[in-house]
DNA sequence: CGCGCAATTGATTACTATCAAGAGGAGTGG
DNA sequence: CCACTCCTCTTGATAGTAATCAATTGCGCG
Protein backbone atom coordinates (compact mmCIF):
# COMPACT_ATOMS: atom_id res chain seq x y z
CA UNK A 1 0.00 0.00 0.00
CA UNK A 2 2.90 2.44 -0.05
CA UNK A 3 2.63 5.01 -2.79
CA UNK A 4 4.58 3.98 -5.90
CA UNK A 5 6.97 6.79 -6.81
CA UNK A 6 5.72 6.74 -10.38
CA UNK A 7 2.29 7.66 -9.07
CA UNK A 8 3.54 10.11 -6.46
CA UNK A 9 0.95 12.85 -6.13
CA UNK A 10 3.59 15.37 -5.14
CA UNK A 11 5.70 14.85 -8.18
CA UNK A 12 2.87 16.01 -10.38
CA UNK A 13 3.11 19.53 -9.00
CA UNK A 14 5.03 22.07 -10.94
CA UNK A 15 7.21 23.14 -8.03
CA UNK A 16 9.04 19.87 -8.24
CA UNK A 17 11.64 19.29 -10.92
CA UNK A 18 10.62 16.86 -13.62
CA UNK A 19 12.27 13.47 -13.83
CA UNK A 20 11.88 10.76 -16.43
CA UNK A 21 10.53 7.31 -15.66
CA UNK A 22 13.84 5.54 -15.31
CA UNK A 23 15.03 8.15 -12.86
CA UNK A 24 11.89 7.78 -10.81
CA UNK A 25 12.32 4.05 -10.80
CA UNK A 26 15.83 4.46 -9.40
CA UNK A 27 14.39 6.47 -6.56
CA UNK A 28 11.72 3.85 -6.07
CA UNK A 29 14.42 1.24 -5.61
CA UNK A 30 16.12 3.43 -3.06
CA UNK A 31 12.91 3.89 -1.12
CA UNK A 32 12.61 1.25 1.54
CA UNK A 33 9.10 1.92 2.78
CA UNK A 34 6.60 4.34 4.11
CA UNK A 35 6.08 5.64 7.61
CA UNK A 36 3.00 7.10 9.21
CA UNK A 37 3.24 9.05 12.42
CA UNK A 38 0.86 11.08 14.52
CA UNK A 39 0.97 14.60 15.89
CA UNK A 40 3.81 15.25 18.31
CA UNK A 41 5.83 12.23 17.27
CA UNK A 42 9.54 12.97 17.14
CA UNK A 43 11.05 11.85 13.87
CA UNK A 44 14.67 12.86 14.21
CA UNK A 45 16.45 13.96 17.35
CA UNK A 46 19.20 16.46 17.84
CA UNK A 47 22.42 14.61 18.50
CA UNK A 48 21.06 11.35 17.18
CA UNK A 49 22.38 9.38 14.28
CA UNK A 50 19.31 8.18 12.48
CA UNK A 51 19.63 5.10 10.29
CA UNK A 52 16.97 6.55 8.04
CA UNK A 53 16.33 9.51 5.80
CA UNK A 54 12.87 10.70 4.90
CA UNK A 55 10.91 12.65 2.39
CA UNK A 56 7.71 14.15 3.74
CA UNK A 57 4.81 12.95 1.63
CA UNK A 58 1.89 14.48 3.47
CA UNK A 59 1.24 16.34 6.68
CA UNK A 60 3.16 19.10 8.39
CA UNK A 61 5.91 19.15 10.97
CA UNK A 62 8.63 21.32 12.34
CA UNK A 63 12.37 21.38 12.82
CA UNK A 64 13.71 22.91 15.97
CA UNK A 65 16.71 23.21 18.15
CA UNK A 66 16.73 23.36 21.92
CA UNK A 67 19.23 25.71 23.54
CA UNK A 68 21.16 25.35 26.75
CA UNK A 69 18.98 28.02 28.31
CA UNK A 70 15.96 25.87 27.70
CA UNK A 71 14.51 27.99 24.93
CA UNK A 72 13.50 26.53 21.63
CA UNK A 73 14.21 27.87 18.17
CA UNK A 74 11.99 26.60 15.41
CA UNK A 75 14.33 26.39 12.43
CA UNK A 76 11.54 26.01 9.94
CA UNK A 77 8.32 24.29 9.13
CA UNK A 78 8.28 20.98 7.32
CA UNK A 79 6.11 20.64 4.23
CA UNK A 80 5.46 17.77 1.86
CA UNK A 81 8.44 17.35 -0.41
CA UNK A 82 11.00 18.23 2.23
CA UNK A 83 13.95 15.90 2.55
CA UNK A 84 14.75 15.14 6.17
CA UNK A 85 17.86 13.78 7.82
CA UNK A 86 20.46 14.98 5.37
CA UNK A 87 22.57 16.37 8.20
CA UNK A 88 22.72 12.99 9.87
CA UNK A 89 23.46 11.49 6.47
CA UNK A 90 26.40 13.79 5.88
CA UNK A 91 27.66 14.69 9.32
CA UNK A 92 26.68 11.58 11.24
CA UNK A 93 24.56 13.51 13.64
CA UNK A 94 21.48 15.69 13.50
CA UNK A 95 21.98 19.22 14.70
CA UNK A 96 18.30 19.80 15.18
CA UNK A 97 15.18 17.77 15.86
CA UNK A 98 12.20 17.15 13.62
CA UNK A 99 8.75 16.31 14.81
CA UNK A 100 5.30 15.89 13.33
CA UNK A 101 2.64 18.51 13.99
CA UNK A 102 -0.17 16.70 12.21
CA UNK A 103 -0.44 13.15 10.98
CA UNK A 104 2.37 12.63 8.53
CA UNK A 105 3.30 10.13 5.86
CA UNK A 106 6.94 9.84 4.95
CA UNK A 107 8.97 7.95 2.39
CA UNK A 108 11.75 6.10 4.13
CA UNK A 109 15.26 5.62 2.77
CA UNK A 110 18.00 3.63 4.40
CA UNK A 111 21.09 5.52 5.23
CA UNK A 112 23.18 2.45 4.54
CA UNK A 113 22.11 2.64 0.91
CA UNK A 114 22.40 6.40 0.77
CA UNK A 115 26.08 6.37 -0.10
CA UNK A 116 25.62 3.83 -2.84
CA UNK A 117 22.64 5.73 -4.22
CA UNK A 118 24.55 8.98 -4.09
CA UNK A 119 27.52 7.52 -5.94
CA UNK A 120 25.47 5.61 -8.49
CA UNK A 121 23.15 8.48 -9.39
CA UNK A 122 25.14 11.64 -10.00
CA UNK A 123 22.08 13.55 -11.13
CA UNK A 124 20.33 12.66 -7.88
CA UNK A 125 23.44 13.52 -5.92
CA UNK A 126 23.27 16.87 -7.61
CA UNK A 127 19.63 17.19 -6.60
CA UNK A 128 20.45 16.48 -2.99
CA UNK A 129 23.07 19.20 -3.01
CA UNK A 130 20.55 21.46 -4.70
CA UNK A 131 18.10 20.74 -1.92
CA UNK A 132 20.74 21.62 0.63
CA UNK A 133 21.40 24.88 -1.19
CA UNK A 134 17.70 25.71 -1.22
CA UNK A 135 17.57 25.04 2.49
CA UNK A 136 20.55 27.25 3.03
CA UNK A 137 18.82 29.99 1.11
CA UNK A 138 15.75 29.80 3.32
CA UNK A 139 17.79 29.84 6.47
CA UNK A 140 19.56 32.92 5.19
CA UNK A 141 16.23 34.62 4.63
CA UNK A 142 15.03 33.63 8.06
CA UNK A 143 18.22 34.95 9.60
CA UNK A 144 17.69 38.27 7.86
CA UNK A 145 14.15 38.38 9.16
CA UNK A 146 15.07 37.76 12.76
CA UNK A 147 17.98 40.11 12.56
CA UNK A 148 16.54 43.03 10.69
CA UNK A 149 12.76 43.05 10.78
CA UNK A 150 10.27 44.21 13.41
CA UNK A 151 7.86 41.81 15.03
CA UNK A 152 5.05 42.82 12.73
CA UNK A 153 7.18 42.38 9.63
CA UNK A 154 8.49 39.07 10.80
CA UNK A 155 5.02 37.74 11.30
CA UNK A 156 3.89 39.05 7.93
CA UNK A 157 6.98 37.54 6.38
CA UNK A 158 6.38 34.14 7.92
CA UNK A 159 2.76 34.03 6.87
CA UNK A 160 3.64 35.10 3.35
CA UNK A 161 6.35 32.47 3.19
CA UNK A 162 4.01 29.72 4.33
CA UNK A 163 1.28 30.93 2.04
CA UNK A 164 3.56 30.64 -0.96
CA UNK A 165 4.74 27.23 0.06
CA UNK A 166 1.20 25.96 0.54
CA UNK A 167 0.17 27.60 -2.68
CA UNK A 168 2.86 25.72 -4.56
CA UNK A 169 1.43 22.54 -3.06
CA UNK A 170 -2.07 23.43 -4.18
CA UNK A 171 -3.34 23.81 -0.64
CA UNK A 172 -4.62 27.36 -0.91
CA UNK A 173 -8.30 27.67 -1.68
CA UNK A 174 -9.96 30.33 -3.83
CA UNK A 175 -10.42 32.62 -0.84
CA UNK A 176 -6.80 32.55 0.27
CA UNK A 177 -7.35 30.01 3.01
CA UNK A 178 -4.96 27.17 3.81
CA UNK A 179 -4.16 24.76 6.65
CA UNK A 180 -1.92 26.11 9.38
CA UNK A 181 -2.09 23.62 12.21
CA UNK A 182 0.67 25.15 14.32
CA UNK A 183 0.26 26.85 17.68
CA UNK A 184 1.07 30.50 18.23
CA UNK A 185 3.92 29.28 20.39
CA UNK A 186 5.44 27.55 17.38
CA UNK A 187 5.31 30.71 15.33
CA UNK A 188 6.71 32.67 18.27
CA UNK A 189 9.62 30.24 18.60
CA UNK A 190 10.26 30.45 14.88
CA UNK A 191 10.35 34.24 14.86
CA UNK A 192 12.18 34.92 18.09
CA UNK A 193 9.18 36.62 19.67
CA UNK A 194 7.46 35.89 22.94
CA UNK A 195 4.14 34.11 22.84
CA UNK A 196 2.31 37.11 24.22
CA UNK A 197 3.85 39.49 21.78
CA UNK A 198 3.10 37.16 18.90
CA UNK A 199 -0.48 37.02 20.00
CA UNK A 200 -0.80 40.77 20.17
CA UNK A 201 0.94 41.27 16.86
CA UNK A 202 -1.33 38.70 15.27
CA UNK A 203 -4.24 40.71 16.61
CA UNK A 204 -2.93 43.74 14.76
CA UNK A 205 -2.85 41.86 11.49
CA UNK A 206 -6.40 40.78 12.20
CA UNK A 207 -7.54 44.33 12.97
CA UNK A 208 -6.04 45.49 9.74
CA UNK A 209 -8.09 42.84 8.01
CA UNK A 210 -5.03 41.22 6.54
CA UNK A 211 -5.45 37.73 7.90
CA UNK A 212 -7.60 35.61 10.16
CA UNK A 213 -6.60 32.36 11.77
CA UNK A 214 -8.91 29.93 13.47
CA UNK A 215 -9.13 26.22 14.00
CA UNK A 216 -5.87 25.52 12.28
CA UNK A 217 -6.76 27.39 9.14
CA UNK A 218 -5.21 30.65 8.04
CA UNK A 219 -7.05 33.03 5.75
CA UNK A 220 -4.99 35.61 3.94
CA UNK A 221 -7.31 38.42 2.91
CA UNK A 222 -4.77 40.73 1.41
CA UNK A 223 -1.60 39.07 0.25
CA UNK A 224 -0.17 42.13 -1.41
CA UNK A 225 -0.34 44.31 1.66
CA UNK A 226 0.91 41.47 3.79
CA UNK A 227 3.93 40.89 1.58
CA UNK A 228 4.47 44.59 1.55
CA UNK A 229 4.49 44.71 5.32
CA UNK A 230 6.94 41.85 5.28
CA UNK A 231 9.21 43.85 3.05
CA UNK A 232 9.62 40.89 0.72
CA UNK A 233 8.83 40.62 -2.92
CA UNK A 234 6.18 38.20 -3.92
CA UNK A 235 8.12 35.80 -6.04
CA UNK A 236 6.88 32.38 -6.99
CA UNK A 237 8.26 29.39 -5.19
CA UNK A 238 11.56 28.15 -6.53
CA UNK A 239 11.46 24.89 -8.41
CA UNK A 240 13.06 22.24 -6.27
CA UNK A 241 13.99 18.61 -6.72
CA UNK A 242 12.00 15.84 -5.08
CA UNK A 243 13.42 12.52 -3.98
CA UNK B 1 52.81 31.09 -8.85
CA UNK B 2 49.44 29.77 -7.79
CA UNK B 3 49.65 27.38 -4.88
CA UNK B 4 49.72 23.76 -6.02
CA UNK B 5 46.91 21.88 -4.28
CA UNK B 6 49.33 19.19 -3.17
CA UNK B 7 51.21 21.85 -1.23
CA UNK B 8 48.13 23.64 0.01
CA UNK B 9 48.91 25.04 3.45
CA UNK B 10 45.29 24.75 4.51
CA UNK B 11 45.00 21.10 3.73
CA UNK B 12 47.66 20.32 6.29
CA UNK B 13 45.38 21.45 9.11
CA UNK B 14 43.50 18.84 11.00
CA UNK B 15 40.11 20.51 10.60
CA UNK B 16 40.13 19.56 6.96
CA UNK B 17 39.31 16.04 5.88
CA UNK B 18 42.26 14.06 4.58
CA UNK B 19 42.47 13.20 0.91
CA UNK B 20 44.97 11.04 -0.91
CA UNK B 21 47.27 12.34 -3.63
CA UNK B 22 45.19 11.26 -6.59
CA UNK B 23 42.15 12.95 -5.14
CA UNK B 24 44.06 16.14 -4.60
CA UNK B 25 45.32 16.01 -8.13
CA UNK B 26 41.75 15.76 -9.40
CA UNK B 27 40.94 18.93 -7.51
CA UNK B 28 44.06 20.53 -8.92
CA UNK B 29 42.79 19.82 -12.43
CA UNK B 30 39.46 21.38 -11.57
CA UNK B 31 41.12 24.50 -10.23
CA UNK B 32 41.46 27.06 -12.94
CA UNK B 33 43.53 29.68 -11.19
CA UNK B 34 43.99 31.94 -8.26
CA UNK B 35 42.49 35.31 -7.51
CA UNK B 36 43.72 38.06 -5.25
CA UNK B 37 41.44 40.84 -4.18
CA UNK B 38 41.70 43.73 -1.78
CA UNK B 39 39.54 44.90 1.11
CA UNK B 40 36.01 45.87 0.14
CA UNK B 41 36.07 44.08 -3.19
CA UNK B 42 32.79 42.36 -3.97
CA UNK B 43 33.32 38.78 -4.99
CA UNK B 44 29.80 37.50 -5.57
CA UNK B 45 26.66 39.57 -5.83
CA UNK B 46 23.15 38.79 -4.76
CA UNK B 47 21.07 38.03 -7.81
CA UNK B 48 24.10 37.43 -9.98
CA UNK B 49 25.02 34.27 -11.76
CA UNK B 50 28.74 33.98 -11.31
CA UNK B 51 30.67 31.90 -13.81
CA UNK B 52 33.09 31.00 -11.05
CA UNK B 53 33.20 29.23 -7.75
CA UNK B 54 35.85 29.87 -5.15
CA UNK B 55 37.60 28.44 -2.18
CA UNK B 56 39.00 31.02 0.21
CA UNK B 57 42.70 30.38 0.64
CA UNK B 58 43.69 33.27 2.85
CA UNK B 59 42.16 36.43 4.21
CA UNK B 60 38.73 37.12 5.64
CA UNK B 61 35.48 38.28 4.14
CA UNK B 62 31.79 38.32 4.78
CA UNK B 63 28.54 37.14 3.28
CA UNK B 64 25.56 39.39 3.56
CA UNK B 65 22.13 40.07 2.27
CA UNK B 66 20.56 43.46 1.72
CA UNK B 67 16.89 43.81 2.57
CA UNK B 68 14.20 45.88 0.91
CA UNK B 69 14.21 48.18 3.91
CA UNK B 70 17.84 48.99 3.26
CA UNK B 71 19.19 47.09 6.23
CA UNK B 72 21.93 44.55 5.91
CA UNK B 73 22.13 41.11 7.45
CA UNK B 74 25.56 39.60 7.66
CA UNK B 75 24.93 35.90 7.08
CA UNK B 76 28.33 34.87 8.29
CA UNK B 77 32.01 35.53 8.14
CA UNK B 78 34.18 33.94 5.50
CA UNK B 79 37.29 32.09 6.60
CA UNK B 80 39.99 30.24 4.69
CA UNK B 81 38.64 26.91 3.53
CA UNK B 82 35.14 28.19 2.85
CA UNK B 83 33.64 27.24 -0.47
CA UNK B 84 31.89 30.18 -2.11
CA UNK B 85 29.31 30.34 -4.85
CA UNK B 86 27.65 26.99 -4.37
CA UNK B 87 24.22 28.62 -4.46
CA UNK B 88 24.91 30.09 -7.86
CA UNK B 89 26.28 26.73 -8.91
CA UNK B 90 23.13 24.91 -7.88
CA UNK B 91 20.36 27.45 -8.18
CA UNK B 92 21.76 29.65 -10.93
CA UNK B 93 21.72 32.70 -8.77
CA UNK B 94 23.32 33.88 -5.59
CA UNK B 95 20.93 34.72 -2.81
CA UNK B 96 23.48 36.74 -0.91
CA UNK B 97 26.62 38.71 -1.63
CA UNK B 98 30.18 37.98 -0.62
CA UNK B 99 32.90 40.56 -0.22
CA UNK B 100 36.45 40.71 1.03
CA UNK B 101 37.23 42.41 4.32
CA UNK B 102 40.99 42.03 4.11
CA UNK B 103 43.24 41.07 1.24
CA UNK B 104 42.14 37.66 0.10
CA UNK B 105 43.49 34.89 -2.05
CA UNK B 106 41.01 32.49 -3.59
CA UNK B 107 41.19 29.32 -5.64
CA UNK B 108 39.05 29.72 -8.72
CA UNK B 109 36.93 26.98 -10.29
CA UNK B 110 34.94 27.30 -13.47
CA UNK B 111 31.28 26.70 -13.12
CA UNK B 112 31.19 25.21 -16.59
CA UNK B 113 33.39 22.40 -15.34
CA UNK B 114 31.58 22.10 -12.05
CA UNK B 115 28.96 19.72 -13.37
CA UNK B 116 31.51 17.48 -14.99
CA UNK B 117 33.63 17.49 -11.86
CA UNK B 118 30.63 16.75 -9.69
CA UNK B 119 29.57 13.82 -11.86
CA UNK B 120 33.07 12.42 -12.32
CA UNK B 121 34.05 12.58 -8.65
CA UNK B 122 31.32 11.14 -6.50
CA UNK B 123 33.41 11.41 -3.37
CA UNK B 124 33.95 15.11 -4.06
CA UNK B 125 30.27 15.54 -4.85
CA UNK B 126 29.64 14.05 -1.47
CA UNK B 127 32.05 16.52 0.08
CA UNK B 128 30.28 19.43 -1.53
CA UNK B 129 26.99 18.28 -0.09
CA UNK B 130 28.72 17.80 3.22
CA UNK B 131 29.95 21.36 3.06
CA UNK B 132 26.42 22.53 2.36
CA UNK B 133 25.19 20.57 5.37
CA UNK B 134 27.86 22.14 7.57
CA UNK B 135 26.80 25.55 6.36
CA UNK B 136 23.21 24.72 7.09
CA UNK B 137 24.20 23.71 10.57
CA UNK B 138 25.89 27.05 11.22
CA UNK B 139 22.97 28.99 9.90
CA UNK B 140 20.70 27.04 12.21
CA UNK B 141 22.90 27.95 15.14
CA UNK B 142 22.94 31.58 14.13
CA UNK B 143 19.19 31.57 13.79
CA UNK B 144 18.87 30.18 17.28
CA UNK B 145 21.18 32.88 18.56
CA UNK B 146 19.29 35.75 17.00
CA UNK B 147 15.99 34.28 18.00
CA UNK B 148 16.65 33.19 21.54
CA UNK B 149 19.66 34.91 23.04
CA UNK B 150 20.15 38.33 24.58
CA UNK B 151 22.50 40.87 23.08
CA UNK B 152 25.25 39.99 25.49
CA UNK B 153 24.92 36.27 24.83
CA UNK B 154 24.83 36.80 21.12
CA UNK B 155 28.02 38.75 21.20
CA UNK B 156 29.69 36.18 23.42
CA UNK B 157 28.44 33.46 21.11
CA UNK B 158 29.79 35.15 18.01
CA UNK B 159 33.19 35.76 19.53
CA UNK B 160 33.40 32.19 20.77
CA UNK B 161 32.39 30.91 17.36
CA UNK B 162 35.03 32.97 15.59
CA UNK B 163 37.63 32.08 18.18
CA UNK B 164 37.07 28.37 17.55
CA UNK B 165 37.20 28.85 13.82
CA UNK B 166 40.43 30.80 13.99
CA UNK B 167 41.82 28.31 16.44
CA UNK B 168 41.18 25.48 14.01
CA UNK B 169 43.12 27.48 11.45
CA UNK B 170 46.01 27.97 13.82
CA UNK B 171 45.51 31.70 14.06
CA UNK B 172 45.12 31.97 17.80
CA UNK B 173 48.28 32.85 19.68
CA UNK B 174 49.31 31.60 23.10
CA UNK B 175 47.52 34.47 24.82
CA UNK B 176 44.20 33.93 23.14
CA UNK B 177 44.64 36.67 20.57
CA UNK B 178 43.63 36.39 16.93
CA UNK B 179 42.93 38.63 13.93
CA UNK B 180 39.44 40.12 13.78
CA UNK B 181 39.55 42.77 11.10
CA UNK B 182 35.82 43.49 11.03
CA UNK B 183 34.12 46.68 12.12
CA UNK B 184 31.66 46.79 14.99
CA UNK B 185 29.02 47.53 12.39
CA UNK B 186 29.71 44.17 10.75
CA UNK B 187 29.25 42.35 14.02
CA UNK B 188 26.11 44.37 14.71
CA UNK B 189 24.67 43.45 11.33
CA UNK B 190 25.50 39.82 11.92
CA UNK B 191 23.82 39.72 15.28
CA UNK B 192 20.79 41.85 14.61
CA UNK B 193 21.86 44.54 17.07
CA UNK B 194 22.30 48.25 16.51
CA UNK B 195 25.80 49.59 16.23
CA UNK B 196 25.47 51.60 19.41
CA UNK B 197 24.14 48.71 21.40
CA UNK B 198 26.87 46.45 20.08
CA UNK B 199 29.44 48.98 21.17
CA UNK B 200 28.01 49.22 24.67
CA UNK B 201 27.66 45.48 25.01
CA UNK B 202 31.23 45.04 23.85
CA UNK B 203 32.22 47.49 26.57
CA UNK B 204 30.57 45.22 29.13
CA UNK B 205 32.60 42.24 27.97
CA UNK B 206 35.66 44.41 28.27
CA UNK B 207 34.75 45.56 31.79
CA UNK B 208 34.29 41.99 32.83
CA UNK B 209 37.80 41.34 31.55
CA UNK B 210 36.56 38.71 29.14
CA UNK B 211 37.88 40.17 25.93
CA UNK B 212 39.65 43.15 24.46
CA UNK B 213 39.62 44.22 20.85
CA UNK B 214 41.90 46.76 19.26
CA UNK B 215 43.45 47.37 15.91
CA UNK B 216 41.78 44.43 14.31
CA UNK B 217 42.95 41.96 16.91
CA UNK B 218 40.69 40.27 19.42
CA UNK B 219 42.04 38.98 22.71
CA UNK B 220 39.97 36.42 24.53
CA UNK B 221 41.03 36.47 28.15
CA UNK B 222 38.57 33.98 29.51
CA UNK B 223 37.15 31.61 26.95
CA UNK B 224 35.33 29.45 29.45
CA UNK B 225 33.33 32.28 30.94
CA UNK B 226 32.70 33.69 27.51
CA UNK B 227 31.36 30.41 26.19
CA UNK B 228 29.33 30.12 29.33
CA UNK B 229 27.80 33.51 28.76
CA UNK B 230 27.05 32.46 25.22
CA UNK B 231 25.24 29.44 26.53
CA UNK B 232 27.09 27.21 24.12
CA UNK B 233 29.27 24.24 24.82
CA UNK B 234 32.85 24.50 23.85
CA UNK B 235 33.14 21.78 21.28
CA UNK B 236 35.98 21.49 18.85
CA UNK B 237 35.47 22.57 15.28
CA UNK B 238 33.83 19.96 13.12
CA UNK B 239 36.05 18.33 10.55
CA UNK B 240 35.05 19.60 7.15
CA UNK B 241 36.06 18.83 3.59
CA UNK B 242 38.24 21.19 1.59
CA UNK B 243 38.08 21.61 -2.16
C1' DC C 1 -16.92 19.03 37.16
C1' DG C 2 -11.98 19.58 37.62
C1' DC C 3 -7.81 19.81 34.68
C1' DG C 4 -4.71 20.90 31.22
C1' DC C 5 -3.71 23.46 27.17
C1' DA C 6 -4.10 27.34 23.86
C1' DA C 7 -5.43 31.92 23.18
C1' DT C 8 -6.29 36.54 25.17
C1' DT C 9 -5.78 40.79 27.65
C1' DG C 10 -3.83 44.16 31.00
C1' DA C 11 0.05 46.00 33.72
C1' DT C 12 4.82 46.59 34.31
C1' DT C 13 9.63 46.04 33.37
C1' DA C 14 13.65 46.04 30.72
C1' DC C 15 16.25 45.46 26.73
C1' DT C 16 17.52 47.74 22.40
C1' DA C 17 16.95 51.26 19.08
C1' DT C 18 17.32 55.93 17.84
C1' DC C 19 19.05 60.55 18.22
C1' DA C 20 23.03 63.54 19.22
C1' DA C 21 27.52 64.73 19.74
C1' DG C 22 32.38 64.30 20.40
C1' DA C 23 37.09 62.10 20.11
C1' DG C 24 40.82 60.24 17.52
C1' DG C 25 43.07 58.57 13.36
C1' DA C 26 43.84 58.43 8.25
C1' DG C 27 43.97 60.65 4.09
C1' DT C 28 43.68 64.95 0.98
C1' DG C 29 44.64 69.41 -0.80
C1' DG C 30 46.24 74.02 -0.28
C1' DC D 1 52.31 71.68 7.95
C1' DC D 2 47.71 72.61 8.77
C1' DA D 3 42.75 72.87 7.72
C1' DC D 4 39.20 69.82 6.49
C1' DT D 5 36.70 65.59 5.67
C1' DC D 6 35.57 60.94 6.40
C1' DC D 7 35.21 56.97 9.11
C1' DT D 8 35.01 54.29 13.25
C1' DC D 9 34.45 54.06 17.94
C1' DT D 10 32.39 56.06 22.20
C1' DT D 11 29.22 57.96 25.42
C1' DG D 12 24.90 60.19 27.12
C1' DA D 13 19.89 60.91 26.83
C1' DT D 14 15.43 59.42 25.42
C1' DA D 15 11.91 56.63 23.09
C1' DG D 16 9.93 52.27 21.96
C1' DT D 17 9.41 47.63 21.18
C1' DA D 18 9.04 43.39 23.07
C1' DA D 19 9.56 40.48 27.35
C1' DT D 20 7.75 39.11 31.67
C1' DC D 21 4.25 38.61 35.09
C1' DA D 22 -0.61 37.80 36.15
C1' DA D 23 -5.07 36.47 35.32
C1' DT D 24 -9.12 35.15 32.47
C1' DT D 25 -11.63 32.67 28.88
C1' DG D 26 -12.89 28.78 26.14
C1' DC D 27 -12.47 23.92 24.97
C1' DG D 28 -11.82 19.06 24.98
C1' DC D 29 -11.34 15.20 28.04
C1' DG D 30 -11.44 11.68 31.80
Amino acid sequence: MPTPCLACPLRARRVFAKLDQSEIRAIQRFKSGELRIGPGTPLLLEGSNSPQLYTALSGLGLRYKTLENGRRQVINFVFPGDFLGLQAGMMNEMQHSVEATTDMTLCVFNRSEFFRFFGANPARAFDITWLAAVEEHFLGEALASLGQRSGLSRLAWAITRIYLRQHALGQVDAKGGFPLPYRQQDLADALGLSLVHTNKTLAKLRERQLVSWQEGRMQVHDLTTLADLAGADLEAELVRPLL
Side-chain angles (χ1 to χ4, degrees), chain A:
Chain A
M1 113 177 41
T3 318
C5 293
L6 279 166
C8 179
L10 281 182
R11 201 172 287 286
R13 312 225 80 103
R14 271 176 316 168
V15 244
F16 297 111
K18 283 272 168 295
L19 294 183
D20 66 34
Q21 291 217 347
S22 69
E23 293 176 311
I24 297 176
R25 268 193 290 267
I27 292 177
Q28 172 81 65
R29 281 192 297 279
F30 178 31
K31 175 171 171 177
S32 77
E34 232 166 87
L35 176 66
R36 291 169 167 278
I37 58 179
T41 311
L43 186 64
L44 294 165
L45 285 178
E46 197 169 340
S48 74
N49 174 343
S50 164
Q52 261 117 29
L53 304 175
Y54 308 94
T55 288
L57 246 191
S58 71
L60 300 174
L62 42 82
R63 309 185 200 231
Y64 62 90
K65 222 169 153 52
T66 304
L67 305 215
E68 305 68 19
N69 59 20
R71 303 179 58 150
R72 178 183 75 151
Q73 173 69 38
V74 169
I75 306 287
N76 69 17
F77 300 103
V78 175
F79 291 90
D82 282 357
F83 189 58
L84 307 168
L86 182 61
Q87 281 196 345
M90 306 306 294
M91 303 167 61
N92 288 313
E93 195 170 290
M94 289 300 291
Q95 310 291 330
H96 59 252
S97 304
V98 181
E99 73 173 45
T101 298
T102 65
D103 280 320
M104 290 187 80
T105 311
L106 305 120
C107 303
V108 182
F109 307 102
N110 280 324
R111 211 179 127 190
S112 54
E113 284 172 61
F114 179 59
F115 304 92
R116 185 196 55 68
F117 179 77
F118 193 98
N121 301 76
R124 246 27 66 209
F126 187 86
D127 283 353
I128 290 168
T129 309
W130 180 357
L131 239 14
V134 171
E135 202 54 52
E136 194 184 322
H137 164 219
F138 281 127
L139 289 185
E141 285 240 322
L143 199 59
S145 282
L146 296 221
Q148 312 299 336
R149 296 198 234 255
S150 69
L152 193 65
S153 293
R154 274 184 243 180
L155 211 35
W157 170 79
I159 296 171
T160 305
R161 184 106 257 43
I162 296 174
Y163 175 97
L164 292 175
R165 199 77 203 278
Q166 290 284 42
H167 183 73
L169 294 168
Q171 298 299 306
V172 179
D173 66 30
K175 297 197 175 93
F178 56 90
L180 194 71
Y182 302 102
R183 293 166 306 155
Q184 295 188 356
Q185 182 72 66
D186 296 326
L187 255 194
D189 288 348
L191 299 176
L193 300 172
S194 72
L195 170 61
V196 173
H197 191 57
T198 301
N199 181 283
K200 289 174 180 169
T201 308
L202 226 24
K204 277 186 198 153
L205 291 180
R206 205 182 309 132
E207 282 159 24
R208 297 197 195 180
Q209 318 257 320
L210 296 177
V211 307
S212 50
W213 184 14
Q214 325 145 49
E215 292 151 38
R217 229 181 140 71
M218 173 73 76
Q219 276 272 337
V220 172
H221 300 119
D222 184 347
L223 184 60
T224 313
T225 308
L226 193 67
D228 204 54
L229 243 185
D233 19 344
L234 216 43
E235 37 184 298
E237 279 286 302
L238 291 169
V239 172
R240 61 169 72 204
L242 173 67
L243 276 208

